[in-house]
């Protein structure tokens, strides 16, 4: 479902400096796979995830999603993908600040015109243990609670591809385990799951681990049955 | 150096809802101690830290910092404390968005009128491994890099009290270890260090672990020599 070929991403900073965040990434993910992306801070994980999630474009290289070349898609097609087919859990949450937890989770359902949006959003917040925080805005929640609202928002549309960028970074062990079992359930129901983590215990839940270092793929192996 | 008595913090949400984030906290920290504050997501760790760091006031209860009751301090005294004596590493970094990493770290030194501010800021960014990112603004840095800029900014004034809220949450193992040895060095030089973490391996670096659950202190013990 994901096929990248020689993905390169360069950032220009002023006239003299250029940062190569990705230096030619070839990554293939089959439908229904669970892949963990690991690597040091600054190695290019979020940059790669943003391109896979159609939120950013590479400097060069190709990216085919479910067989279609993304660079040739219309902005409507991309918006559709982002709203319904792909569930994106951002490393910095990206919640709407003046909107409650419930409204933030309801938003993608309203965008798609799904009936019963409020009820489904309440359910998603229950999956992540936040039933008693529905009417809090992001700045009225702890950081780990904000992260869980972002997770509920990504899963509420039942997307077929879930891209999770460090979904447990701000959670205690028990909340982390609850989120991982939630993601495992979604994966068992047939979803494709790509998850960035710097925690070994979290990466071990995956079937396959891919490692980035300085914008290059240095490791790509299936792990023993998790 | 820190002495709280029955600290309570309540948030009112609309007319009907009240959240008790802290329900009567008694915490005493001696000068030169290294204490880890742990506990589930939403248990009140950041709320407690913000009161200790004089960034928030309790609903009731007393807080004495180096023997002085904080609620009786003038706003100038509080600003002085926050600028020079207390180094605060925020869980969400709180960097100035339109300012480079170097300028963000230099800011507290300029506020104090310290000479050689630029050189000292460069040094602090070297301690956290970001010498090659001095002129990047926060949105031109990875999340873990932003966290390390926040750490450099807190340490550059050589504060006597360091309050670190999840300083390694977004870092890989190696970068985490580098930050912990940096904090250990500061502690060995006589600093008082209060560190919030949800990671057991990080908590084990401390001499004493304090656990919060639902706004109450449920555990407070010295750990074996780390
Ligand atoms: N401004 C606010 N208004 C209402 N409730 C709030 C506000 N800020 C925090 N809370 C609530 O107070 C509780 C404690 O929040 P706090 O940020 O201290 O938790 P925490 O232990 O730091 O959590 P985490 O590990 O997720 O960062 C949470 O349940 C949160 O929902
Ligand atoms: N807008 C930008 N301009 C310039 N450089 C950037 C920009 N965004 C990212 N970078 C750089 O690209 C590199 C990769 O960043 P990225 O966010 O993908 O790393 P990461 O692996 O997700 O790190 P972390 O684990 O800390 O989140 C970093 O070194 C960063 O400094
Ligand atoms: Mg990242
Ligand atoms: Mg917190």
């Amino acid at each position: 479902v994901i096929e990248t070929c020689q993905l390169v991403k360069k950032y220009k900073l002023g006239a003299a400096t250029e940062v190569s965040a990705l230096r030619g990434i070839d990554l293939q993910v089959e439908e229904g796979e669970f892949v963990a992306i690991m690597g040091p801070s600054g190695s290019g994980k979020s940059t790669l995830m943003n391109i896979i999630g159609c939120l950013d474009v590479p400097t060069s290289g190709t990216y085919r999603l479910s067989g279609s070349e993304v660079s040739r898609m219309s902005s409507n097609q991309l918006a559709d993908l982002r709203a319904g087919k792909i569930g994106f859990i951002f490393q910095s949450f990206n919640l709407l600040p003046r909107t409650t937890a419930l409204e933030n989770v309801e938003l993608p359902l309203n965008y798609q015109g799904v009936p019963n949006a409020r009820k489904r959003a309440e359910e998603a917040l229950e999956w992540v243990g936040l039933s008693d925080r529905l009417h809090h805005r992001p700045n009225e929640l702890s950081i780990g609670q904000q992260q869980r609202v972002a997770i509920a928002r990504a899963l509420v549309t039942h997307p077929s591809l879930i891209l999770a960028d460090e979904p447990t970074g701000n959670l205690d062990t028990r909340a982390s385990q609850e989120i991982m079992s939630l993601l495992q359930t979604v994966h068992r129901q047939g979803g494709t799951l790509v998850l960035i983590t710097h925690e070994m215990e979290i990466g071990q839940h995956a079937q396959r681990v891919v490692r980035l270092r300085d914008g290059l793929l240095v490791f790509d192996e299936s792990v023993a049955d998790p």
Side-chain angles (χ1 to χ4, degrees), chain A:
Chain A
V1 63
I2 291 171
E3 212 180 326
T4 77
C5 181
Q6 285 301 296
L7 273 190
V8 170
K9 179 71 185 179
K10 288 183 181 161
Y11 294 108
K12 272 207 175 13
L13 220 69
T17 325
E18 198 181 67
V19 172
S20 285
L22 299 177
R23 297 166 192 269
I25 301 280
D26 298 326
L27 178 69
Q28 218 164 345
V29 178
E30 305 296 321
E31 216 168 314
E33 247 191 305
F34 178 178
V35 182
I37 298 181
M38 303 188 70
S41 172
S43 55
K45 305 179 297 295
S46 295
T47 302
L48 175 59
M49 200 71 132
N50 292 342
I51 292 171
I52 291 174
C54 303
L55 295 159
D56 192 10
V57 287
T59 309
S60 66
T62 59
Y63 169 36
R64 296 162 68 90
L65 179 60
S66 303
S68 311
E69 174 49 55
V70 171
S71 59
R72 288 202 205 106
M73 286 184 189
S74 73
S75 52
N76 275 353
Q77 272 176 300
L78 286 173
D80 262 0
L81 273 176
R82 284 197 294 258
K85 300 217 176 40
I86 301 176
F88 205 117
I89 302 168
F90 293 89
Q91 193 174 8
S92 50
F93 322 141
N94 279 16
L95 299 175
L96 296 184
R98 280 177 290 283
T99 316
T100 67
L102 188 59
E103 290 161 351
N104 263 287
V105 175
E106 217 181 310
L107 211 67
L109 295 175
N110 291 337
Y111 179 88
Q112 285 190 301
V114 166
N116 259 345
R118 175 132 301 202
K119 190 120 191 47
R120 280 185 53 178
E122 278 176 20
E123 226 176 58
L125 284 162
E126 201 186 320
W127 299 337
V128 296
L130 287 178
S131 298
D132 57 348
R133 293 284 183 274
L134 301 182
H135 307 296
H136 286 233
R137 285 181 306 230
N139 68 342
E140 296 167 340
L141 291 168
S142 82
I143 300 291
Q145 290 169 342
Q146 293 177 36
Q147 182 156 48
R148 284 181 278 162
V149 174
I151 293 166
R153 180 184 61 184
L155 300 183
V156 76
T157 53
H158 297 301
S160 50
L161 172 61
I162 294 155
L163 304 177
D165 194 342
E166 300 274 5
T168 61
N170 295 287
L171 298 177
D172 58 281
T173 308
R174 192 162 144 232
S176 278
Q177 283 165 350
E178 286 167 11
I179 293 304
M180 286 319 290
S181 64
L182 180 62
L183 291 174
Q184 293 270 30
T185 305
V186 173
H187 172 241
R188 266 195 300 271
Q189 287 165 354
T192 307
L193 177 54
V194 181
L195 177 135
I196 292 175
T197 183
H198 64 267
E199 299 174 68
M200 274 318 277
E201 319 80 70
I202 301 295
Q204 274 157 5
H205 285 74
Q207 296 161 329
R208 181 176 152 211
V209 172
V210 164
R211 268 180 203 289
L212 282 187
R213 180 176 286 281
D214 280 336
L216 285 170
L217 230 70
V218 293
F219 178 93
D220 184 349
E221 301 231 347
S222 293
V223 289
D225 231 8

